[in-house]
Amino acid sequence: MPKVFSVGDANIDLFSFTESGPVYGEEHKIKKFDCALGGNAANFAAAIAGLGQKAHLVSVQGTGPFSGFIKNEIERRGIKPLMEKSVAQSGVSNIFVSECGERAILSDKGCLAELDCRAVAKKIGPMLGNGDIVFFGGYFHLTGMRNGFESLLRAIRKKGAKVFFDACYDEHEKWNVKKFIRHTDVFFLNLIELEKITGIKNSKRAIKRLFEMGANRIVLKMGGEGAMYSCGAKTVKMPAVECTPINATGAGDFFNAGYAYGFLKGFSPRNCLLCGNFAAAKRISDREYAGPSKKEMDDFIAKNNLAEHEIFKSYGAMSKRASNIVARQLRKKPDSVISIAAGKTPLGLYRLLVRAFRKKQADFSGATFIELDEYIGCGYRDSFAFSLRKNFISNLRILSRPRAF
């Protein structure tokens, strides 16, 4: 199973559920007070761990009255801590939540400003492998991460891991992502952050500007309107999952985790968005930091997933995309059962898979291949089975042969 590293802020969130915000010089009653583990990176780690993934949190553990609570919550949620130690106070966010679930946040990041790229590389470098995800949350809050960030992202991707980056809000109003955005695999942001980063109000033109900066894939979170994925040539939108909003804090972080879960499962961008929207809806509709369990997510996707077709400009591009999907599936689950078709259309796919096998980039030894269809009453040499063995199966010359039916 691929590992997931969440890098960034981990603090305590103090919630005041109130009809109105605070007014200087006055005292008012609140409906409820609560506290929870918070921070973009910690929320993401908690949500992805709840979905059954191996989650590691890279952050800073400080001192003060909230440090014990933060440590205990990280352990309770099944997150493996990779923490730097600090004598500074732990971070804290005061969050005022309105009746409709919207919130205003006042934060002191405390010890989190001490997290730097050298410490992150030291923590995750020896553990990082091909197919892992490194998620960065709360970057703009963490001033110590500015130096060497571009080099850190390059090193992560060189090991075959994917970089997921969430913009979050930049209280310093710098919004500088141009230097490193090309080193991200998925760049998450919301509508406010999109306008702040690009200086463009029109979303379509703003997204185009991000691609001009070097973005590879963009996931735009649009609140009640759902979410959108774009890779430049392709754009996919997915409406929000209906729910009754109670507390929107952390919804974006839980969305990111849901999307990452779908990505690790090999889902299409459309179904990754669906996973993200479901995770966000579960979070919004509960006062606590409650995301979906793995079973809840899998049951939801089983009932709501959408088949998707892709259109390519050339036969070669189509064949390459198909071979990458098959190879990725076999890396994730070596004993996969795969249905294959005969005819001329998939010949390019089979050639690329055989080439990947010979270069030791794909292992078919544990796989089972099921023939999709067959003619009735034809001779063996005229059959689809013969064609598949000639063009594909017989070229996988290994001791433990893949099974074909």
Side-chain angles (χ1 to χ4, degrees):
M1 178 188 293
K3 299 178 291 296
V4 181
F5 299 90
S6 186
V7 181
D9 49 350
N11 53 257
I12 188 171
D13 283 349
L14 305 176
F15 294 102
S16 295
F17 294 87
T18 176
E19 295 178 358
S20 61
V23 179
Y24 287 110
E26 299 181 12
E27 181 177 349
H28 296 272
K29 182 181 178 180
I30 61 173
K31 290 188 173 183
K32 184 182 178 181
F33 175 82
D34 205 350
C35 61
L37 177 68
N40 301 96
N43 289 342
F44 176 90
I48 201 75
L51 290 168
Q53 304 304 298
K54 294 180 179 178
H56 302 73
L57 176 62
V58 184
S59 189
V60 181
Q61 180 179 326
T63 59
F66 303 123
S67 60
F69 175 86
I70 294 170
K71 180 181 178 181
N72 291 338
E73 282 296 290
I74 289 171
E75 293 176 357
R76 184 178 72 84
R77 292 176 178 272
I79 305 167
K80 182 175 177 57
L82 301 174
M83 311 292 280
E84 288 287 289
K85 305 288 186 180
S86 171
V87 296
Q89 292 273 331
S90 297
V92 57
S93 291
N94 290 291
I95 304 173
F96 300 91
V97 185
S98 70
E99 288 185 316
C100 65
E102 287 300 325
R103 76 273 191 240
I105 306 174
L106 298 172
S107 295
D108 176 14
K109 293 304 176 182
C111 65
L112 297 172
E114 298 177 16
L115 187 65
D116 60 46
C117 293
R118 184 177 298 179
V120 173
K122 186 178 178 181
K123 293 287 185 183
I124 70 174
M127 305 172 64
L128 203 59
N130 186 54
D132 292 343
I133 287 178
V134 183
F135 172 84
F136 288 90
Y139 169 80
F140 289 130
H141 307 315
L142 311 176
T143 54
M145 292 289 292
R146 308 293 169 82
N147 293 329
F149 190 60
E150 186 178 356
S151 297
L152 174 62
L153 300 191
R154 282 200 303 264
I156 291 169
R157 298 180 83 198
K158 189 175 182 179
K159 288 201 171 188
K162 302 296 183 182
V163 173
F164 282 24
F165 181 94
D166 185 64
C168 80
Y169 196 88
D170 184 2
E171 70 266 38
H172 306 289
E173 294 290 344
K174 300 295 184 183
W175 302 100
N176 185 9
V177 302
K178 190 173 182 180
K179 290 183 178 180
F180 62 80
I181 192 171
R182 66 183 182 276
H183 300 300
T184 64
D185 292 283
V186 182
F187 190 84
F188 297 92
L189 73 173
N190 62 29
L191 289 166
I192 294 174
E193 294 154 1
L194 177 64
E195 181 180 344
K196 290 284 188 178
I197 290 171
T198 63
I200 302 171
K201 289 187 176 182
N202 181 276
S203 297
K204 187 175 181 180
R205 290 194 291 111
I207 288 173
K208 182 180 178 181
R209 176 64 185 131
L210 286 181
F211 283 119
E212 291 171 350
M213 291 181 183
N216 293 297
R217 300 179 189 88
I218 297 168
V219 174
L220 180 64
K221 295 170 283 188
M222 303 182 292
E225 296 181 18
M228 182 178 74
Y229 163 92
S230 182
C231 62
K234 176 180 180 180
T235 297
V236 176
K237 292 183 179 180
M238 180 60 63
V241 174
E242 291 187 10
C243 67
T244 301
I246 295 177
N247 182 3
T249 308
D253 307 321
F254 277 63
F255 171 92
N256 297 339
Y259 184 96
Y261 178 79
F263 185 91
L264 290 169
K265 287 284 189 178
F267 292 171
S268 67
R270 187 181 301 274
N271 284 322
C272 287
L273 293 176
L274 188 60
C275 290
N277 285 343
F278 180 62
K282 288 287 288 184
R283 169 65 200 95
I284 290 170
S285 57
D286 200 305
R287 290 186 188 275
E288 309 295 332
Y289 267 21
S293 66
K294 183 179 186 301
K295 185 180 186 307
E296 288 175 321
M297 177 66 82
D298 290 345
D299 288 347
F300 175 81
I301 291 299
K303 295 177 182 177
N304 297 279
N305 76 88
L306 301 170
E308 185 170 357
H309 69 278
E310 298 185 44
I311 299 174
F312 297 89
K313 293 183 178 179
S314 69
Y315 177 77
M318 178 196 71
S319 300
K320 184 176 181 181
R321 170 64 172 155
S323 69
N324 287 340
I325 291 173
V326 173
R328 182 175 63 187
Q329 173 64 24
L330 289 171
R331 285 194 297 271
K332 182 175 65 177
K333 193 174 187 296
D335 61 345
S336 292
V337 178
I338 300 174
S339 178
I340 54 177
K344 293 183 178 180
T345 303
L347 289 180
L349 161 65
Y350 298 147
R351 282 194 292 268
L352 289 173
L353 288 176
V354 170
R355 185 183 302 170
F357 163 73
R358 290 173 176 168
K359 291 183 177 180
K360 298 183 179 181
Q361 296 173 344
D363 180 8
F364 300 89
S365 60
T368 297
F369 294 96
I370 298 178
E371 186 181 339
L372 180 64
D373 50 10
E374 185 56 274
Y375 287 122
I376 296 177
C378 66
Y380 177 65
R381 287 187 170 273
D382 296 321
S383 68
F384 285 160
F386 177 77
S387 175
L388 287 169
R389 289 192 179 278
K390 176 184 176 182
N391 294 299
F392 182 46
I393 300 296
S394 63
N395 291 294
L396 307 180
R397 301 183 183 281
I398 43 184
L399 292 176
S400 177
R401 281 186 170 277
R403 292 164 290 175
F405 299 93

